[in-house]
Amino acid sequence: MDIEQALRDKIDNLTKPKGSLGRLEEIALQVGKIQNTLTPHLDKPCNILFGADHGIVEEGVTVSPREVTWQQMLHFAHGGAGINFLCNQHGFKLVLVDAGVDYDFPVEAGIIDAKVGRGTRNFLHAPAMDLTEWAVCVERGSAIVDQVHSDGCNIVSFGEMGSGNTSAASMWMHILTGIPLEDCIGAGAGLDKPGIQHKLKVLKQAWQNYSGADHLIDKLAYFGGYEMVMAMSGMCRAAALGMVVLVDGFIMTACMLAARALYPPVMANAIFGHQGDEAGHRRMLEAMGAKPLLSLSLRLGEGSGAVCAYPIVDSAVRMINEMDTFQVVDVTKYF
């Protein structure tokens, strides 16, 4: 009997009507298949948060000024941000990584230095990064996951910090799904309607200006962010290592979309934490056939929605490990 059938048999014979625990049963099956065991376990969860700046902010596509990126990274390090209380609540280690912030962090801040540059270039006029920088991002994102895995982590979420990164994520969504740009963009950190229209105008012009190779990696590099490529690479590496990957909101879903295109097996390890409030997120999830666990109108990023969803995954694993089966208790099986 293969592991999937063995897991289904175990789940179906827990002391409950078959299917009555709904998504918990689906998640237990998925985690058991990822780990190839009838007794899956979740160890040392980590949220890896990559920070980087984006040149496209020069075009006024966000209400967040550039300096907010480094200020928030230091805020995360000091422990008082949204992702901090969630990580504290759910037992996550928060791993902060400077992928390309326009700031020199002090060593004592505890932020891992993986800096590729001091922010990407403005993709309205030039490639955000070249293929050499892309390759460095891929290598460094993978290395961070190797590090947490070697420390015993087997479930990981990813977060991001970078003013302007919803513009980059919208471009990736458009490239990877073919959905019109106007359906890929939203308010980001809080744009009003005129601001959204300006953002759309800038992104449409940037797409018209693209004159690079007709190859997926060339296009993703042209419009992407350092933190996005590192997260995408980290997702692929985590899947290759047999880790569970919790997927956060709009930007991290765009990274999973890119990961899927470049390494399709990653989807077997992906659990989508939530459907966020960014306009394109629902459309992107639907395009991927993904079923998010939560819908809380979140649009914070940072990995917040993924970490919020962790207790549901924990419940699924506890279900398969802690519930009795009909074979070991004196209860008539019922349906």
Side-chain angles (χ1 to χ4, degrees), residues 102-171:
D102 188 13
Y103 187 82
D104 294 317
F105 294 107
V107 174
E108 57 270 21
I111 298 171
I112 296 171
D113 182 6
K115 192 189 295 288
V116 177
R118 300 183 73 96
T120 56
R121 290 170 283 281
N122 183 347
F123 63 65
L124 179 62
H125 305 296
M129 69 186 82
D130 59 34
L131 294 184
T132 298
E133 292 170 311
W134 168 280
V136 173
C137 288
V138 168
E139 178 184 356
R140 293 181 182 176
S142 180
I144 298 296
V145 171
D146 281 340
Q147 179 181 319
V148 301
H149 181 259
S150 67
D151 290 337
C153 170
N154 72 356
I155 178 166
V156 63
S157 57
F158 296 89
E160 83 297 321
M161 182 62 221
S163 296
N165 56 15
T166 60
S167 292
S170 295
M171 297 303 295

Side-chain angles (χ1 to χ4, degrees), residues 257-274:
L257 186 63
R260 182 184 73 162
L262 298 174
Y263 181 63
V266 72
M267 285 293 287
N269 295 59
I271 297 176
F272 291 81
H274 76 111

